[in-house]
Amino acid sequence: MPDPVNLPVTFRPGRTRAVLHVLGAACFVVITVIALVLDTMSPAEKVSFVFTAALFWGVLGLLARPKIVADEDGVTVVNIARGRRLAWAEIVQVNLRPGDPWVFLDLSDGTSLAALGIQPGIARQSAIRDAKALRALSEARTGVQG
């Protein structure tokens, strides 16, 4: 677990990101090669194949985007389509319960925020370690024990 004073720290699902980027690159290469090899397709069709492959890789890139960045002032949660900046005082509790797909942050306004930057998918032990580290950082900065 990282020492709570070693900030800034970034949490992200490393293995998941690697799988998504490799899959995106491999699909792009395969679809592009197929488009270039097939002689029965027009140039416009070939371009549409390559464009579709690039679009697919872009979607996988968005899925690989989530992260949580903690610094002295607070936490930035970046999910697939948007990010949100939180002050430490806004975080009441950091939760990663058995069966949860990712960490949830209970906030002082009574809502909960999904933080996809820590997800147990294919790296469960790493996600548990990161969730504990984020919880320790939050508790150290707010004085609230979760």
Side-chain angles (χ1 to χ4, degrees):
M1 173 181 347
D3 184 357
V5 295
N6 291 336
L7 294 176
V9 63
T10 301
F11 302 101
R12 57 179 57 188
R15 288 184 189 163
T16 302
R17 286 175 41 107
V19 167
L20 290 170
H21 284 301
V22 168
L23 180 63
C27 288
F28 178 81
V29 169
V30 168
I31 293 171
T32 300
V33 167
I34 289 171
L36 296 176
V37 170
L38 291 177
D39 293 331
T40 58
M41 293 187 346
S42 70
E45 289 172 321
K46 291 180 181 193
V47 168
S48 72
F49 263 62
V50 174
F51 176 76
T52 301
L55 187 64
F56 180 69
W57 193 359
V59 168
L60 291 178
L62 280 176
L63 293 174
R65 184 174 179 247
K67 66 181 176 180
I68 301 167
V69 181
D71 59 33
E72 289 295 336
D73 299 322
V75 175
T76 302
V77 177
V78 178
N79 287 332
I80 294 169
R82 39 183 300 205
R84 182 169 173 190
R85 179 74 181 160
L86 300 166
W88 286 113
E90 292 179 79
I91 301 171
V92 175
Q93 189 170 10
V94 177
N95 295 308
L96 181 60
R97 294 173 292 261
D100 280 351
W102 39 71
V103 162
F104 288 93
L105 304 176
D106 291 339
L107 305 179
S108 59
D109 65 1
T111 63
S112 183
L113 175 67
L116 281 64
I118 300 175
Q119 47 184 267
I122 59 176
R124 182 167 182 69
Q125 293 306 317
S126 176
I128 291 169
R129 183 189 67 240
D130 290 349
K132 287 179 179 178
L134 184 59
R135 182 178 300 130
L137 285 167
S138 176
E139 290 172 356
R141 274 148 183 76
T142 62
V144 176
Q145 296 292 315

